[in-house]
Amino acid sequence: MTVPKLNEILLARGLAPVEGETAEKFEKFASLLLEKNRLFNLTAIESEEQVAERHFADSLALFLDPAFRGGRMLDLGCGGGFPGIPVKLYAEGRGIPLELLLMDATAKKIAFVEEAAEALGLRDVRAVSRRAEEAVEEFGRESFDLVTARAVSDMRVIAELAFPYLRVGGAFYAWKTRKALPEVEDALPSVKLFGGREEGRIPYGDGVFFLEKCVKLSPTSPRFPRKYAQIVKKKP
Ligand code: SAH
């Protein structure tokens, strides 16, 4: 059972537990994920408790931000659907409107995410297999209220991928561990160049993890994002 563990963590963080249909959907998503892992041997087989802690509760750290209001969200480099799907499930349970675009470069991961979204009966969710730096015009420059990225790349790299999608006033959240603090600090001048500013850090899990939250103050120059090789190679 995934939900008892999930609710234990949510309560400890002062967040409302998941109940009823939402709880059922979290259980179902955990089963789908574990089943997929067994079939494809994608990662070391995880227990339901590990799924609750490492994937679900970790994704839901977004709700620790009291300013979170839903809206149009891009989950960049979503992999198996994190943080996007847990965020969508929790928002649905709390009546928060959320239109979600899940994006990943790997088609196999998107196929799983599509199948899961369908099985969970999620509305206003779309999953696309694209490279983020190549899909800005297609999905809307300066048009998302929030962009999330967990375990995708360095802060500087993901900031360049994320900011072009954000509308002015929108927020970018990066899931980071304490060890990544220097990397995050290092990226802040680039964030500024993309039209953003660091809003703050939202710590969780005894301070081992945090969400780096940046807000967008002005439009991002159309010269961003650059080609991936350039982004990685050279500071903007
Ligand atoms: N966010 C998920 C997956 C992390 S793995 C989680 O936390 O579990 C990183 C994922 O980012 C991979 O699936 C990879 O395909 C994707 N990714 C990396 N660079 C990308 C890019 N430029 N555009 C789209 N997806 C990218």
Side-chain angles (χ1 to χ4, degrees):
M1 296 285 276
T2 308
V3 163
K5 181 70 187 171
L6 174 61
N7 280 343
E8 186 189 311
I9 303 169
L10 290 175
L11 284 168
R13 289 186 187 158
L15 294 174
V18 299
E19 293 166 334
E21 203 184 329
T22 305
E24 283 167 25
K25 289 185 179 186
F26 270 103
E27 289 292 355
K28 191 165 183 180
F29 186 40
S31 309
L32 290 170
L33 207 63
L34 290 166
E35 183 190 9
K36 212 54 167 189
N37 265 350
R38 273 190 291 269
L39 284 177
F40 292 102
N41 222 357
L42 288 176
T43 55
I45 294 174
E46 292 171 284
S47 70
E48 297 201 345
E49 282 74 21
Q50 282 174 316
V51 169
E53 194 173 346
R54 289 197 206 153
H55 294 313
F56 294 174
D58 194 59
S59 297
L60 297 181
L62 183 58
F63 292 88
L64 292 171
D65 181 2
F68 177 79
R69 295 280 178 280
R72 187 162 187 246
M73 166 173 164
L74 168 66
D75 187 13
L76 196 159
C78 65
F82 302 102
I85 291 190
V87 166
K88 175 67 188 176
L89 285 174
Y90 197 79
E92 190 184 73
R94 320 254 357 127
I96 302 170
L98 188 77
E99 185 191 325
L100 173 64
L101 179 64
L102 296 146
M103 185 183 288
D104 200 281
T106 307
K108 195 173 76 174
K109 294 187 181 181
I110 289 300
F112 167 73
V113 162
E114 262 177 341
E115 191 186 309
E118 170 91 34
L120 299 171
L122 294 179
R123 287 156 169 251
D124 296 327
V125 173
R126 197 174 159 200
V128 295
S129 167
R130 295 282 194 293
R131 293 204 58 89
E133 67 278 14
E134 293 168 2
V136 177
E137 306 311 329
E138 183 180 354
F139 294 100
R141 185 175 280 274
E142 309 275 330
S143 74
F144 286 83
D145 299 303
L146 65 153
V147 179
T148 56
R150 188 184 82 152
V152 176
S153 188
D154 261 29
M155 184 69 190
R156 185 179 66 74
V157 173
I158 53 177
E160 182 159 348
L161 299 177
F163 269 96
Y165 287 97
L166 273 185
R167 68 165 171 84
V168 171
F172 171 49
Y173 299 84
W175 272 243
K176 291 288 170 191
T177 66
R178 191 162 48 194
K179 276 191 281 181
L181 269 173
E183 166 208 309
V184 168
E185 289 287 340
D186 223 42
L188 294 181
S190 302
V191 165
K192 201 170 165 200
L193 192 64
F194 304 141
R197 142 171 94 64
E198 182 185 47
E199 170 91 348
R201 296 187 185 133
I202 304 166
Y204 64 98
D206 294 327
V208 177
F209 306 100
F210 66 96
L211 293 187
E212 174 71 9
K213 181 182 182 187
C214 298
V215 292
K216 184 143 162 179
L217 302 176
S218 55
T220 305
S221 161
R223 60 190 181 92
F224 301 120
R226 295 167 293 160
K227 298 230 181 292
Y228 197 73
Q230 265 182 301
I231 298 178
V232 174
K233 203 164 77 188
K234 206 164 156 282
K235 285 190 183 180

